[in-house]
Amino acid sequence: VQLQASGGGLVQAGGSLKLSCVASGRTFSNYATGWFRQAPGKEREFVAAGDWTVSSTYYADSVKGRFSIARDNPAKTVYLQMNSLQPEDTAVYYCAVIEAATYSSGRYYATTGRYYDYWGQGTQVTVSS
């Protein structure tokens, strides 16, 4: 699976952005999807994940209620809607896919990057104060 993330940019605090991640290659329905981010000097951290129907989702506590994950399966596209952005949300955001069976094993697997199989190239999100 190849993943292409886009939609990042510069936004003022309190603003919104919508990230997109387009997949190509293997059957998209076999995978759940996740978003991770990495700020300068910090480790990569989990942001959000959702299964094929987005009926099962996980969010980091820091983004819960502000971010939401959505998916357009015919278009092989996953979205991350980010509202009420804050300077601490500044990071490079990565989309990734994980086999559906691994995702369904529980939150630990769904929120841990090393269990994800394919990664996109990242898109920069910068939130100014």
Side-chain angles (χ1 to χ4, degrees):
V1 177
Q2 292 79 44
L3 302 170
Q4 181 72 38
S6 63
L10 174 63
V11 64
Q12 289 188 332
S16 297
L17 281 174
K18 186 174 183 177
L19 306 183
S20 299
C21 178
V22 181
S24 60
R26 295 187 179 182
T27 305
F28 192 47
S29 60
N30 292 344
Y31 295 93
T33 52
W35 289 92
F36 293 77
R37 67 187 182 187
Q38 187 166 21
K42 294 187 177 181
E43 293 186 353
R44 183 182 62 197
E45 64 174 357
F46 168 77
V47 176
D51 66 359
W52 181 58
T53 61
V54 204
S55 58
S56 167
T57 57
Y58 298 102
Y59 293 95
D61 289 342
S62 59
V63 307
K64 200 172 294 183
R66 300 188 297 124
F67 291 12
S68 63
I69 189 169
R71 183 163 167 159
D72 182 345
N73 286 316
K76 294 186 177 181
T77 303
V78 182
Y79 303 99
L80 183 67
Q81 177 67 47
M82 306 186 296
N83 300 325
S84 301
L85 283 161
Q86 299 301 317
E88 52 266 34
D89 294 317
T90 295
V92 177
Y93 283 71
Y94 299 90
C95 60
V97 294
I98 180 174
E99 289 192 358
T102 306
Y103 179 93
S104 64
S105 297
R107 182 182 178 89
Y108 172 75
Y109 298 92
T111 62
T112 303
R114 67 174 181 268
Y115 293 105
Y116 280 72
D117 301 284
Y118 302 96
W119 293 79
Q121 86 288 0
T123 184
Q124 176 70 48
V125 172
T126 303
V127 184
S128 62
S129 57

